[in-house]
Amino acid sequence: MRIGRPLTAVALIGFVALMLLPLYSMIVLASAPDDGDLSGLGFHGFALFDNIGQIMTDGRFPRYLMNSVLIASAVSVLDVAISAAAGYALARLRFPGRAALLNLVVIALSLTPAVVMIPVFVMLSEIGWLNSYQGLIAPFAASALGVFLVRQFALGIPVQMLHAARVDGASELRIFLRIAVPLLRPALLTVLLLQFLAQWDNLIWPLIAASEQELWTLPLALSSFEGEHGIVYHLQTAAALISILPPLVLFSFLQRYYVSGLTLGGVKR
Amino acid sequence: MSTVEARAGAGLAAPAIVYFVLFWALPALAALYLSFTSYDLSGTPQWVGLDNYRQMVTSDEFWSSAWVTLLYTVFAVGPTIVIALVVAVPLAKPGRFRAWLRGLIFIPAVMPLVGATVLWQVIYSTGGLADTIAQAAGVGARPWLTDSDYAIWALLVMVIWKYVGLYVIIFVAGLQALPANVFEAAAIDGARTLRTFFLVTVPLLRRTFTFVIVVAVTGAMQSFVPAYLLTKGGPVNATQVLPLYLYNNAFSYSRFGYASAIAIVLLVVLLIFAFTQFTLVRSDEE
């Protein structure tokens, strides 16, 4: 067993190196001045900032970047607001429609997006919302996972605390905003982060609902990078690198909220 | 229930109720309806009864797509889970170095899938990293994405790389939640590492396994981006997974009725799978 330990360590480090190799080659490729060497193993000059400058000044890339920021932010803020309200109400208030909401959340959790995609597309095309910001935002304005996560967390808010506030004469809305929301902060940050990352990476919906280039987001721009510039791998990789940075930065600050969202249900508490 | 509380609750829940009715419940019913119609977005849906489903079961392309999806799911989930568990066991122990390694392994899982897939486009291009490694290994360069013998495996390597870190983290969380005294008892009994692993660790992780398998399988069965971006389902439909087949029928051929029927079939398969898994665990725990 003692002999096994250094071996384990070496094997682990080897595995991590293998996992990181594509990332290293991404930086090499994004820094290349041309497409001369695509192996991504060795640097041939360092043109990363030239490449990024070229992408940002040439074509519509800044517009796509802004669209992504705008849509992912709007969606995640809306989702947090709607999920927080609904999740708290489900956990701590009795009201008509409570059972209906619970059923709707369970239904939405068990459905796959592929099922609702076509009818939502048809519906938005009927009301003229294709190729509009609202058409890219509204279908994701809340989430079953968000409501569920907030509800689970809100079940931990002591009922006595809410009662005490009621006795003091606080309105229900005030109790929600001033007592529940601060206590729900970790759950709300998890929802915000998960939804922002999901929308930042959403390819299929903009692909379907935004044919006009003014509304394209980063994933769409990356997926048809070749079309605009010809196949220029080093620029395409630099653009991909730009697209992965915000999620990595967000993640490094909010790591524990991300992991708690992921492992929910996987671990017995 | 007090009227004040009832009014506040209904008010807080109203936006969510409207959202779920408009964007989930009604569309789901509409999808079921559309699956019995012929509809190309112009005009109104024409009722065709079971024609779409009949056409599906007699379509070679559907069965080829179902087969590709099965292959893709099995070979994405199996290796990912095995690798993740083997890596998670030594990484679950405390220590700053291990925490650091866990963070590094997790990076691909945090990357946006589209950006990662674009990177792998270059890796699989002629003279790319895959060719370079294959040449160094004496295998020689290959048309990774344009040869039907390699394309699906090329996709799978990328997908395993992308998600293995996620499952490492989930397994680590599961392992760290296990009671330490069980392992102490096993150690006192003189159980060997491998024995402890199979007889103590794996059974105790049952709940984590179920969660991981359900998440991984349902995720793999709905995977769209890698096949769409890397191969467009080709060559000759060798990588046309069901979600891509659905997308092509709806948005390339405007066969919205038939595409809805595919979506319904996909949903039923996913539900049966998830339901079976959770029932198995529940009966197991009672």
Side-chain angles (χ1 to χ4, degrees):
Chain A
M1 266 183 73
R2 287 246 161 244
I3 299 167
R5 273 187 197 155
L7 264 178
T8 312
V10 169
L12 271 180
I13 291 167
F15 177 74
V16 174
L18 206 61
M19 291 286 290
L20 295 180
L21 181 60
L23 296 174
Y24 163 77
S25 84
M26 184 178 208
I27 295 167
V28 172
L29 289 163
S31 312
D34 52 48
D35 279 359
D37 176 12
L38 290 177
S39 75
L41 285 178
F43 284 91
H44 302 277
F46 188 81
L48 178 61
F49 299 110
D50 292 345
N51 292 342
I52 289 177
Q54 200 176 329
I55 295 165
M56 296 303 277
T57 51
D58 182 28
R60 299 166 187 260
F61 197 82
R63 167 106 202 191
Y64 304 147
L65 190 63
M66 281 315 297
N67 283 341
S68 269
V69 171
L70 186 81
I71 291 166
S73 307
V75 165
S76 45
V77 168
L78 275 172
D79 185 17
V80 165
I82 297 177
S83 298
Y88 166 74
L90 274 182
R92 283 292 170 254
L93 297 172
R94 281 168 303 163
F95 59 94
R98 191 176 172 280
L101 175 58
L102 206 58
N103 285 331
L104 283 168
V105 171
V106 172
I107 289 170
L109 270 178
S110 40
L111 286 171
T112 151
V115 170
V116 296
M117 189 173 77
I118 291 170
V120 171
F121 172 79
V122 173
M123 177 170 84
L124 293 194
S125 95
E126 295 283 325
I127 60 170
W129 276 24
L130 295 182
N131 286 312
S132 73
Y133 283 104
Q134 62 270 33
L136 293 171
I137 293 168
F140 309 97
S143 64
L145 185 70
V147 176
F148 180 73
L149 252 155
V150 174
R151 175 188 168 269
Q152 293 304 96
F153 208 86
L155 286 172
I157 299 177
V159 185
Q160 297 88 324
M161 196 187 260
L162 306 175
H163 274 313
R166 280 184 198 122
V167 171
D168 285 348
S171 72
E172 290 293 335
L173 187 65
R174 202 181 152 80
I175 295 174
F176 169 65
L177 290 176
R178 290 293 166 82
I179 299 177
V181 167
L183 289 172
L184 290 171
R185 221 183 85 126
L188 302 185
L189 278 172
T190 302
V191 175
L192 187 83
L193 182 65
L194 289 181
Q195 185 63 277
F196 187 91
L197 295 180
Q199 290 313 313
W200 188 262
D201 204 14
N202 191 349
L203 171 67
I204 185 143
W205 188 250
L207 184 64
I208 293 167
S211 49
E212 281 170 18
Q213 290 204 1
E214 279 71 37
L215 287 153
W216 277 16
T217 53
L218 276 185
L220 259 185
L222 286 174
S223 73
S224 47
F225 207 80
E226 299 169 19
E228 271 185 63
H229 300 259
I231 305 178
V232 187
Y233 282 127
H234 66 283
L235 290 181
Q236 190 186 11
T237 314
L241 191 65
I242 296 174
S243 85
I244 72 165
L245 286 181
L248 284 181
V249 171
L250 260 183
F251 171 78
S252 60
F253 284 112
L254 298 169
Q255 186 170 4
R256 66 198 173 100
Y257 301 107
Y258 189 73
V259 173
S260 70
L262 287 176
T263 51
L264 182 95
V267 183
K268 205 169 192 168
R269 280 170 213 275
Chain B
M1 69 182 88
S2 79
T3 47
V4 177
E5 187 181 338
R7 211 177 299 149
L12 288 174
I17 293 178
V18 171
Y19 168 80
F20 286 115
V21 169
L22 273 182
F23 289 103
W24 290 90
L26 291 180
L29 292 175
L32 189 63
Y33 166 71
L34 283 178
S35 78
F36 298 114
T37 68
S38 170
Y39 185 43
D40 65 359
L41 215 57
S42 65
T44 50
Q46 300 296 310
W47 185 265
V48 294
L50 286 171
D51 272 9
N52 288 327
Y53 292 94
R54 225 173 273 139
Q55 199 188 333
M56 204 187 308
V57 291
T58 54
S59 153
D60 288 343
E61 200 179 345
F62 168 75
W63 286 112
S64 128
S65 188
W67 170 247
V68 170
T69 309
L70 181 70
L71 203 69
Y72 183 88
T73 303
V74 168
F75 285 98
V77 175
T80 303
I81 289 186
V82 171
I83 297 170
L85 185 60
V86 167
V87 174
V89 169
L91 279 185
K93 292 169 195 155
R96 189 180 289 181
F97 182 58
R98 288 192 172 85
W100 210 66
L101 290 183
R102 289 201 295 266
L104 290 177
I105 288 179
F106 199 41
I107 295 177
V110 187
M111 287 173 73
L113 179 58
V114 175
T117 310
V118 165
L119 165 67
W120 282 77
Q121 242 168 19
V122 191
I123 290 179
Y124 286 133
S125 66
T126 307
L129 184 61
D131 273 354
T132 311
I133 292 175
Q135 274 160 346
V139 183
R142 292 281 189 277
W144 304 107
L145 296 176
T146 48
D147 183 319
S148 51
D149 287 340
Y150 299 117
I152 189 158
W153 305 107
L155 289 189
L156 284 166
V157 167
M158 186 219 127
V159 168
I160 293 169
W161 168 82
K162 178 75 179 67
Y163 290 109
V164 74
L166 172 67
Y167 297 104
V168 169
I169 296 299
I170 295 176
F171 275 126
V172 164
L175 285 164
Q176 288 177 340
L178 295 182
N181 52 5
V182 178
F183 293 96
E184 282 160 20
I188 290 167
D189 285 349
R192 296 289 194 85
T193 313
L194 269 183
R195 246 181 106 78
T196 315
F197 177 74
F198 282 111
L199 295 179
V200 181
T201 314
V202 172
L204 279 175
L205 278 178
R206 212 169 37 213
R207 206 184 154 86
T208 309
F209 265 111
T210 312
F211 175 74
V212 160
I213 289 173
V214 170
V215 171
V217 169
T218 51
M221 285 180 67
Q222 298 179 64
S223 166
F224 168 81
V225 169
Y228 174 78
L229 285 183
L230 287 181
T231 56
K232 295 269 184 241
V236 211
N237 296 340
T239 56
Q240 181 173 254
V241 286
L242 278 174
L244 191 54
Y245 182 53
L246 190 167
Y247 170 85
N248 285 337
N249 271 288
F251 299 101
S252 303
Y253 316 132
S254 288
R255 299 171 64 193
F256 288 95
Y258 185 65
S260 298
I262 302 169
I264 296 291
V265 168
L266 189 62
L267 173 69
V268 169
V269 174
L270 285 167
L271 285 180
I272 292 174
F273 174 78
F275 185 75
T276 318
Q277 279 292 309
F278 283 119
T279 318
L280 282 178
V281 170
R282 192 161 299 167
S283 65
D284 209 28
E285 280 180 352
E286 272 163 11

